[in-house]
Amino acid sequence: MKKVHLCLAHMSGNEMKYIQEAFNTNWVAPLGPNVNAFEQDLERFAGEDKKVVALASGTAAVHLAMVCLGVGKGDDVICQSFTFAATCNPAVYLGATPVLVGSEEATWNMDPNKLEDAIKDRIQKTGKKPKAIVPVYMYGMPAYIDEIMEIANRYEIPVIEDSAEAFGSKYKGKMTGTFGRFGIMSFNGNKMITTSGGGALICPDEATKKKAMFYATQAREDKPYYLHEEIGFNYRMSNVCAGIGRGQMTVVYDHIKHHQHIAQLYADAFRNIEEIKVHMAPESYMEPNYWLSTVTFEKSRSNGVYGVACEPNDQVMRSMQALSAVGIESRPLWKPMHSQPVYKDAPAYEDGTSERLFQKGLCLPSGPCVTDEDVELIVKTLKESVVL
Ligand SMILES: *Cc1c(COP(=O)(O)O)cnc(C)c1O
């Protein structure tokens, strides 16, 4: 039986050339020509005159962005609650408090109204402003970033866009990750493109890039010996991994087109099925990469359980099992951070929207290895699994 995965790494065939180059020139280190060239590729891709630092992971990029903003012990960092743990864990690494903000129904991302409520309430409670705001582009879907930036600018709080899932998504024609002070890219094995493991930090200018590089290379001062005045990290990307990244960049637009094509196939297939709703861009000015296609079972019954005990409903579990039985991988949506045991005591500004979505949502295969025929089988299996 053929296995169909959510998003499997897919090599272009050009990767080996760059990896071989690294070996031939003995640049087998966390720096070198591939790292520099990959960063240039990423800067060209992001546009807007941004500078990019290639790193060991997307999580490292989130962490470094917070370090560069001076996040420390006792600070608040506002994070979207409906996300993967890597968005807010770095705040905890730094001794800060993640303040979890709920989502709106249209994009599933940070609700600008709840964001402003959170800022006001935290200022009132702690007497100081949060140090950063971290919205996320879940499954590649842009957020209402203009509205979020307007609030952030009004309160003068810098924004770190967690664009780890949204490599190549656009908002009003501009790449996500280029709106805030910092943007996050991830090249983990299951993301839009891969370096086997890796990430990058989008910086506003050369000086900020230098600062990020300084922290990413153990905060070594400019001396012939090792002098340290600050705490740093070993976060640079390997020159071998960057070779994979350069190869991936030769097919990045094909990958994005393919993900968008698969999403459109799902949308067309379920157009007249009331029960199954495909999550598509709510605004014409949002162009998601559709990293993963997602559906919600609109008539499935909520199990009415919120908070830590919140779980996917019976319909989601039934559909997952039906897909699994024919070799197809699927997965519930991210369990919101405010409903995670580890974050149950974090301040949260939530109205249950993300938990309701989590209860009734499912991620479907979308990667470069998914064929039109695979989608047909997935659609047929899903339709059969629905119990009204
Ligand atoms: C994958 C991901 C990250 C972290 O990226 P890694 O490269 O896996 O460390 C951060 N945020 C979100 C939303 C992600 O999906």
Side-chain angles (χ1 to χ4, degrees), residues 56-60 62 83-84 86-87 136 162 164-165 184-188 190-191 197-199 291 334:
S57 70
T59 311
V62 178
T83 184
F84 177 50
T87 303
V136 182
D162 186 344
E165 299 176 6
I184 307 304
M185 295 170 166
S186 168
F187 313 118
N188 209 335
N190 55 352
K191 293 284 160 75
W291 169 56
W334 299 123

